[in-house]
Amino acid sequence: HIPNMDKVGGFSICSSPEQLEQSRTVELAVKLSDNAPASWVHTVATVGQTVSLRAGGNFTYAKVSESVVTGQLLVLIAGGIGINPLFSILQHALKVQPEAKVILFYSCKTAEEVIFAKELSELVERHNSFKCVVTLTSWLSLVFKNDLPTSERFVSTT
């Protein structure tokens, strides 16, 4: 809830459920825009300011824990700011099962728009079974891991 503002939206939770349980905090990704709530976060809100949150929608993937624990391949596909909720799912999957087989395909318009580049690179370094492919629609391609299998193996269940 934003003081004196009825409109909501423009935020995505990008932290893992474990962060909420352990520190009672959540991280929000808020793209700077003309959207009133997003603009408020960037222009009025201050560090340490208390705000209230209201969850809405059904944007969860309840089978993440079951999938990664049983060794199933988890494929995440994101474009632009669509990475935000998937980054939360990715962190949770790798926390529940550090050797989870996860592949993230992430596309952005430019390299400057790649959100969580440092964090994704660090996750690739820490988790051998996590692969991350970032493509740029400007026809450049960046692969965080050079030894990726062929595309046919990405969807293989074996």
Side-chain angles (χ1 to χ4, degrees), residues 14 29-31 79-84 87 104 106-108 110-121 132 134 144:
C14 56
V30 185
K31 185 176 182 176
I81 63 171
I83 188 68
N84 294 325
F87 189 65
L104 169 65
Y106 178 29
S107 182
C108 293
T110 66
E112 294 76 29
E113 294 180 4
V114 176
I115 306 170
F116 306 119
K118 179 181 179 222
E119 294 87 345
L120 290 170
S121 184
C132 179
V134 177
F144 280 57

Side-chain angles (χ1 to χ4, degrees), residues 69-129:
V69 168
T70 59
Q72 296 178 31
L73 175 64
L74 177 62
V75 177
L76 302 172
I77 302 171
I81 63 171
I83 188 68
N84 294 325
L86 295 186
F87 189 65
S88 177
I89 291 170
L90 171 64
Q91 292 176 90
H92 176 65
L94 295 174
K95 177 73 174 177
V96 169
Q97 180 56 267
E99 292 304 314
K101 295 186 289 188
V102 182
I103 297 174
L104 169 65
F105 294 97
Y106 178 29
S107 182
C108 293
K109 186 175 181 180
T110 66
E112 294 76 29
E113 294 180 4
V114 176
I115 306 170
F116 306 119
K118 179 181 179 222
E119 294 87 345
L120 290 170
S121 184
E122 290 170 356
L123 288 172
V124 166
E125 291 299 316
R126 285 197 314 262
H127 301 276
N128 291 330
S129 59

Side-chain angles (χ1 to χ4, degrees), residues 27 44 53 69 84 114 131 154 156:
E27 291 181 27
V44 178
L53 298 176
V69 168
N84 294 325
V114 176
K131 310 295 184 216
F154 284 149
S156 172

